[in-house]
Amino acid sequence: NAFTAGGVEPTRLIALVRAPSSRMAEGELTHLDRVPVDADLADTQWEGYVEALRANGFETIEVAAADELADSVFIEDTVVIFGDVAVLTSPGAESRQAEVEAVRASVSALALEVHEITQPGTLDGGDVLKVGSTVYVGRGGRTNAEGIRQLRALVSPLGYSVIAVPVEKVLHLKSGVTALPDGTVIGYADLVDNVDLYDRFLAVPEAEGAAVVVLSDDAVLMSSSAPKTAALIENLGYRVVTVDVSEFEKMEGCVTCLSVRIR
Ligand code: CIR
C-alpha cells in the first residue's frame, strides 16, 4: 500500500467505483421518461468504463455493491474529494441516502481526512464542479442552501472558493457542465443554467457531450453517444477516450457520476 500518513501520494491515481444494482431500472428519474434498461448490458458497459479508467492509469477501488440501492452505481453523488480531504454527502433523494455508508467505509480505508454534510443539509456530488481552486455548486433539486453552506464552511479554509449556481434545467450541475483539463467549462447551451457565471465557456454540439472525465492533462473520457463533441475536443489537442454508457444515460447518469477520482 503506497499510502502514508501524510495523505495521497501525488503519483497515485485512484478511482472509486461501485458495480450496478440489478435493480438500476427502478432508480430515480427526474427529467427523463422511464424506458427499459438492459441490466446485462449495463454490467458490460460498467466493466468497459472501469477498464478504460485502468487503461489510463487509474487504480480502481470497488465499493461493496448494494443490490437494494438502485442508484448506487452513481457513486460520484456520495463523496467529493478536495486534495486529501473527502466530504461525504447527504444525498437529496431519500432513496439514495443509504448509499453513503459503504462509501464511508471505503474512503476511511484511504489516507484521507473525512468530513460529511449532514441533514437538514443535502448535497449530491453531481452538483459539485471543481475547476482549479474554484468550486461551482449547483443549487437545484438535490442540493439545498444548507448543504451549500456546510460545504463552503468545510472547503473555504482549504483555499477553495465556492460559487453557488442555481440549476433548473437539469438534474445536477454536472449534468449540464463539466470542465476540460485546461479549465474551460463545457456544456450543451440549451441545458446550461446561468452560463455567464463561468469565466471560460465552450458550447458543445450534443447534450451527452457535456460530461467529460479528466484522465490527465491531455486526455478525457466521454460517452460514445456524442461523436461530434469528441471530434471538437480532439481538435483542441486532447486525446479522447470514449465508452458506451447508454444504459446509465437512460437513468440520467453519465461518465462523471460512475466514479470518484482521487489524485
Ligand atoms: C438519480 O436520479 O439520482 C440517478 N438516477 C442518476 C444520478 C446521476 N448522477 C449524476 O449525474 N451525478
Side-chain angles (χ1 to χ4, degrees):
N1 190 317
F3 281 105
T4 61
V8 178
E9 296 195 353
T11 51
R12 196 174 175 205
L13 292 174
I14 292 176
L16 296 180
V17 292
R18 195 171 195 182
S21 160
S22 63
R23 295 173 44 188
M24 188 175 77
E26 296 164 36
E28 300 281 342
L29 280 178
T30 309
H31 296 275
L32 296 183
D33 291 330
R34 203 168 290 277
V35 294
V37 172
D38 182 333
D40 290 332
L41 181 56
D43 284 344
T44 305
Q45 290 180 346
W46 183 79
E47 278 158 21
Y49 175 88
V50 171
E51 197 38 58
L53 290 176
R54 289 195 187 129
N56 285 282
F58 283 85
E59 179 185 333
T60 52
I61 296 179
E62 267 191 58
V63 172
D67 219 43
E68 68 287 3
L69 298 172
D71 279 316
S72 49
V73 69
F74 302 116
I75 187 171
E76 172 194 63
D77 292 320
T78 59
V79 64
V80 189
I81 307 291
F82 298 89
D84 54 11
V85 169
V87 180
L88 294 165
T89 69
S90 172
E94 208 181 330
S95 68
R96 301 200 57 192
Q97 287 165 1
E99 291 176 27
V100 178
E101 277 323 301
V103 176
R104 179 196 309 276
S106 294
V107 162
S108 302
L110 303 174
L112 297 169
E113 187 182 315
V114 182
H115 295 275
E116 65 190 303
I117 305 295
T118 55
Q119 291 280 348
T122 65
L123 183 126
D124 276 17
D127 277 318
V128 182
L129 173 65
K130 286 169 288 174
V131 182
S133 61
T134 300
V135 182
Y136 296 100
V137 186
R139 196 287 179 229
R142 299 289 174 83
T143 295
N144 66 16
E146 173 60 16
I148 297 174
R149 259 195 292 278
Q150 291 182 24
L151 186 73
R152 189 183 285 123
L154 287 169
V155 305
S156 294
L158 305 175
Y160 292 93
S161 52
V162 171
I163 298 180
V165 187
V167 169
E168 286 175 2
K169 296 180 178 170
V170 286
L171 175 64
H172 288 121
L173 174 72
K174 277 192 284 187
S175 321
V177 289
T178 60
L180 294 175
D182 66 10
T184 299
V185 172
I186 64 168
Y188 181 67
D190 288 355
L191 296 178
V192 179
D193 293 276
N194 303 295
V195 69
D196 295 339
L197 274 172
Y198 305 105
D199 295 340
R200 224 166 46 247
F201 178 80
L202 174 68
V204 299
E206 294 138 322
E208 295 83 0
V212 298
V213 169
V214 172
L215 294 170
S216 66
D217 283 353
D218 64 358
V220 299
L221 176 69
M222 58 179 290
S223 166
S224 57
S225 52
K228 289 182 193 153
T229 306
L232 183 150
I233 294 175
E234 266 167 3
N235 271 326
L236 298 176
Y238 292 109
R239 185 167 61 84
V240 177
V241 178
T242 58
V243 284
D244 188 355
V245 287
S246 64
E247 301 315 284
F248 305 102
E249 287 168 346
K250 290 176 181 174
M251 296 310 299
E252 295 186 28
C254 55
V255 285
T256 58
C257 42
L258 294 173
S259 65
V260 176
R261 282 77 57 197
I262 305 174
R263 295 185 156 83

